[in-house]
Amino acid sequence: MVSRIHLGHVFHLAGAPLVTDAANALVSIPDGALVIGDDGRIAFCGERAGIPSQYQSAPTSDHRPGYLLPGFVDTHVHFPQTYAGDSYGGGQLLEWLTLCIYPSESRFADENVAAQAAIEFCNRRIAAGTTAAMVFGSAFPHAQDALFTETQRRGLRIVSGRGIQTTGPAAAARLFTSEEDAIRLTREEIDKWHAADTGDVKSARLHVAIVPRFSLAVTTQTLKGLGELYDSVRDRGVYFHTHLNENNRPGTGEVDATKERYQVNSYLDTYDGKFLPGSAVGGSSLLGRRSIMAHSVHCQDVELERMAETGTSISHCPISQQFLGSGTMPWLRTVASGVNISAGTDFGGGDEWLIPQVIGAAFKVHISEPGAAGVSMHPAEMLFIGTLGGARALDMEDRFGNFDVGKEADFVVIDPSRTPALQAALTYGARSDDAVMARDQTLFALLMGIRETSIAETYVQGRRLQ
């Protein structure tokens, strides 16, 4: 690989801001340049006129008048639901799982279906500019093997783990394992695939997570075993991922059902080793800086505080929450807790692969929250949860997520001419006389208008993905 210059309008969030300080970290360079070194890292990010002399003769890719953004990070997406994004007939969460999703996921028992889905899954990620993802995996080890193999072949980043389920409705029976096999198969996946591409978690693109579907899909015995397993592999950089406080329809929602079954004070307690009646300690905590909780719509303040305290992140999935009638994660209250927030498509609970569509939905749902809770998200906050916040959730912020010099060059090229409505908005949209407001208006129009057609090229570690 040789050094290369990429020209375009650069947007990114410099440094390591919290979401509350994203606006102050926003960098906009209309006549910008990224220089990617021969090691696949950012060697320079700045004005085209300021390219260091040692790189000025490097081959150049001129994307102007296009845009260069950090690669999108999807912190919650379902591989075994690759073909289930249009599922109708299930209603809200628990009914939808039983009538639509469990039957769809069971089809991955067929090795041919799983292998084809792995190709489609990677195709969709590249087309959407999703360079890194936390992926809820299939219950079937051969399907996970297909996913990791294809992901490695295509050059994408992934954290994934087989979906663990030891109990549930009859519709999910083909996805169940015994308690013993739940632990054994997870350990085998870790040993086989965690950092399998390089042998070093600090440079690997392939990582493994421990992934119980959610508390209602496992037992206290499962949770105890997973806690013991996690204790034994934490220092290897293994992740934890699951669902939390997604749907709370009165009387039949997931949150109430979980608290009733486990007799706990909060849903989060079940993942914090407190899964016995009265939230008594029954095992080890699964929380930490490499743990991501999807949804977190109906959290108590004490749950948000505990996630912030442990470094656990939230994957915010507003499209899915609308799709399943789950409600809206309260933006101001969640941000105030200090917990890190990232963005997830939750495909097929959602019907979009594209992170810009997710962050656009976030803007819409949060400005529509009732009363004083309603807030107009700053476009830098939107960019944060779709890029840097995702890298932080994956505990890889030191590797990617923005264009700070020395980071690995994960980025997308946005070509507005491929999406006429986006090009028109950027070309003819009114802009403020105030330079900062005009900058923010341009970023907002860009993020709201990006479609898959807009994404011309996707890069990981400086290499264009096909």
Side-chain angles (χ1 to χ4, degrees):
M1 183 174 172
V2 298
S3 299
R4 178 170 286 273
I5 299 168
H6 292 268
L7 302 178
H9 187 153
V10 173
F11 274 116
H12 79 119
L13 302 169
L18 299 175
V19 66
T20 50
D21 203 36
N24 292 325
L26 180 60
V27 173
S28 172
I29 312 172
D31 191 15
L34 285 181
V35 178
I36 314 304
D38 57 11
D39 58 356
R41 296 179 180 273
I42 304 290
F44 171 81
C45 174
E47 298 284 348
R48 178 168 60 97
I51 295 173
S53 58
Q54 67 265 38
Y55 297 113
Q56 288 179 0
S57 62
T60 299
S61 296
D62 191 346
H63 307 290
R64 296 175 295 175
Y67 295 78
L68 305 176
L69 300 178
F72 301 122
V73 183
D74 186 346
T75 54
H76 183 58
V77 58
H78 288 258
F79 166 54
Q81 294 173 23
T82 297
Y83 301 131
D86 58 353
S87 295
Y88 170 76
Q92 293 194 352
L93 178 63
L94 298 182
E95 297 91 345
W96 171 79
L97 286 169
T98 297
L99 296 174
C100 301
I101 295 305
Y102 294 143
S104 183
E105 292 192 4
S106 295
R107 295 187 63 227
F108 278 53
D110 183 326
E111 293 189 16
N112 292 327
V113 172
Q116 184 59 45
I119 295 170
E120 177 70 14
F121 188 82
C122 291
N123 286 345
R124 296 277 61 79
R125 283 191 55 191
I126 293 170
T130 300
T131 52
M134 171 65 85
V135 180
F136 194 105
S138 171
F140 303 105
H142 63 256
Q144 287 298 98
D145 289 346
L147 174 64
F148 278 112
T149 299
E150 183 64 12
T151 301
Q152 182 175 6
R153 186 181 77 83
R154 303 295 285 278
L156 289 158
R157 300 185 192 271
I158 191 172
V159 183
S160 184
R162 62 174 303 274
I164 299 166
Q165 195 154 358
T166 56
T167 188
R174 295 181 70 188
L175 307 175
F176 296 169
T177 62
S178 67
E179 304 283 356
E180 180 180 325
D181 283 349
I183 307 304
R184 177 182 63 81
L185 291 172
T186 302
R187 184 182 294 278
E188 288 176 358
E189 184 174 34
I190 293 167
D191 291 341
K192 182 174 185 178
W193 286 112
H194 191 56
D197 53 327
T198 67
D200 183 352
V201 295
K202 295 180 179 179
S203 61
R205 293 192 302 268
L206 306 181
H207 300 263
V208 176
I210 295 171
V211 187
R213 182 180 285 278
F214 56 107
S215 294
L216 292 175
V218 294
T219 67
T220 55
Q221 182 179 344
T222 312
L223 289 171
K224 186 175 189 299
L226 292 179
E228 292 170 351
L229 173 60
Y230 202 32
D231 280 348
S232 73
V233 296
R234 271 188 193 265
D235 61 358
R236 294 170 58 182
V238 172
Y239 292 76
F240 178 77
H241 183 50
T242 191
H243 300 85
L244 174 71
N245 287 326
E246 181 176 357
N247 187 288
N248 197 32
R249 183 172 56 185
T252 60
E254 167 212 17
V255 178
D256 287 343
T258 300
K259 292 168 68 176
E260 180 178 354
R261 177 183 296 180
Y262 283 92
Q263 294 296 296
V264 290
N265 299 325
S266 77
Y267 194 153
L268 185 69
D269 282 348
T270 62
Y271 303 132
D272 202 12
K274 304 171 185 176
F275 46 73
L276 299 181
S279 291
V281 174
S284 299
S285 177
L286 294 159
L287 307 184
R289 74 176 192 274
R290 288 186 297 274
S291 297
I292 300 176
M293 300 292 164
H295 303 294
S296 302
V297 175
H298 304 284
C299 289
Q300 303 172 42
D301 287 346
V302 67
E303 292 174 295
L304 294 173
E305 292 165 5
R306 178 61 175 158
M307 284 189 281
E309 175 189 11
T310 57
T312 300
S313 290
I314 288 172
S315 180
H316 183 24
C317 308
I319 288 179
S320 167
Q321 288 149 24
Q322 291 177 310
F323 186 84
L324 292 173
S326 298
T328 300
M329 184 198 82
W331 180 257
L332 291 177
R333 187 163 66 87
T334 304
V335 167
S337 72
V339 66
N340 181 55
I341 305 170
S342 56
T345 60
D346 194 29
F347 194 93
D351 59 348
E352 289 282 355
W353 291 93
L354 194 64
I355 285 295
Q357 286 287 288
V358 173
I359 60 182
F363 179 87
K364 296 169 189 174
V365 299
H366 295 309
I367 202 169
S368 301
E369 289 189 61
V375 60
S376 175
M377 290 178 69
H378 193 284
E381 296 175 333
M382 297 164 64
L383 184 63
F384 176 92
I385 66 172
T387 58
L388 191 60
R392 185 170 299 165
L394 294 176
D395 196 34
M396 297 189 209
E397 186 181 0
D398 60 332
R399 295 181 62 183
F400 58 87
N402 62 13
F403 295 144
D404 287 356
V405 171
K407 287 195 177 181
E408 297 169 25
D410 291 12
F411 64 100
V412 293
V413 177
I414 308 300
D415 180 357
S417 70
R418 295 160 57 106
T419 311
L422 174 60
Q423 183 176 35
L426 292 168
T427 303
Y428 300 112
R431 297 291 180 262
S432 172
D433 292 334
D434 178 81
V436 173
M437 177 58 77
R439 173 202 68 179
D440 297 345
Q441 290 171 331
T442 298
L443 177 59
F444 185 75
L446 179 66
L447 295 176
M448 295 296 287
I450 290 173
R451 300 295 184 267
E452 285 190 7
T453 54
S454 318
I455 297 173
E457 299 174 15
T458 301
Y459 291 80
V460 169
Q461 293 177 318
R463 294 180 176 85
R464 184 179 178 183
L465 306 185
Q466 305 290 338

